Amino acid sequence: MDSFQDAITKIEKMIRTSRLNDLDALMKAGQLQRISEIGDAIAKLDPGGYLIGCGPYTQGIYRLSASETVFGRQATLHEEPIGKALDFSVNDSVTFRPREVSRQHFKITHTQVDSESVYLITDFDSTCGTYLNGSSLEGQKGNNSGVDTSTAKPLADLDVISLGPGMVNLFLFLIIPKR
């Protein structure tokens, strides 16, 4: 084997091993410890809307404090940059090629209606789709600015969002009420 093939084989093995090690560490911690750690983090959140990343590539707490928050992924080495900013990036390119997340995948729009916060989700006509509680959202065609009321869907507390049908890139929409 030449050094190029050795490098490719080693990279693949390291990717596979790190994923298995991560899963092993997660399972060793025990459900009660994981619940306690998650509870501690959620208890510290200020009132407002959040996406809680629950998948291996989305994990984190994302505050939805802007009027519009865009999620997607960065360009791979095989793609030209699109020159548009993302608020949050999901890296699902395990083998350096994207699997289910588009460059600009979806957005959450936050508005006030009669002193109530309203959050809307819009798919950007992404390649693999955005799913809300298991149902595929219709993609917004053309310009991704503004709110297309024919495709935007309201979010409710504890809604589940999946980027693509695989249920790997997951978010939970969470409202932290005023105390």
Side-chain angles (χ1 to χ4, degrees):
M1 246 194 246
D2 64 6
S3 64
F4 180 73
Q5 190 60 43
D6 288 344
I8 293 169
T9 302
K10 189 169 189 166
I11 290 167
E12 186 283 328
K13 182 178 179 182
M14 290 173 68
I15 290 169
R16 185 171 23 97
T17 301
S18 69
R19 299 284 178 215
L20 291 172
N21 289 342
D22 185 46
L23 184 59
D24 184 53
L26 178 71
M27 300 314 292
K28 281 181 181 174
Q31 184 179 21
L32 293 178
Q33 181 181 344
R34 290 191 305 270
I35 288 171
S36 175
E37 291 170 356
I38 293 166
D40 289 346
I42 299 300
K44 293 176 182 168
L45 298 179
D46 291 328
Y50 294 85
L51 285 188
I52 309 300
C54 300
Y57 310 110
T58 60
Q59 201 159 38
I61 298 174
Y62 307 92
R63 185 169 185 166
L64 303 171
S65 56
S67 61
E68 183 175 282
T69 307
V70 177
F71 286 76
R73 66 170 173 77
Q74 300 298 320
T76 68
L77 293 174
H78 309 286
E79 300 170 315
E80 290 295 320
I82 57 175
K84 295 181 182 176
L86 297 172
D87 294 300
F88 296 106
S89 182
V90 176
N91 182 10
D92 78 332
S93 303
V94 178
T95 56
F96 313 113
R97 300 244 182 212
R99 295 176 3 175
E100 292 187 316
V101 180
S102 292
R103 305 276 288 289
Q104 283 196 307
H105 200 101
F106 75 99
K107 71 179 173 184
I108 303 231
T109 308
H110 175 221
T111 59
Q112 294 289 123
V113 177
D114 297 328
S115 74
E116 293 290 321
S117 284
V118 175
Y119 295 88
L120 301 170
I121 184 169
T122 304
D123 178 77
F124 283 145
D125 203 25
S126 60
T127 303
C128 292
T130 301
Y131 292 75
L132 180 59
N133 299 320
S135 297
S136 180
L137 298 177
E138 179 183 347
Q140 179 176 322
K141 308 284 190 232
N143 188 338
N144 290 337
S145 64
V147 177
D148 180 348
T149 56
S150 68
T151 58
K153 298 293 180 204
L155 288 170
D157 194 30
L158 305 184
D159 275 349
V160 175
I161 299 164
S162 177
L163 308 188
M167 297 297 288
V168 173
N169 299 297
L170 295 173
F171 294 97
L172 179 77
F173 177 67
L174 182 65
I175 298 282
I176 302 295
K178 292 180 182 172
R179 297 173 181 100

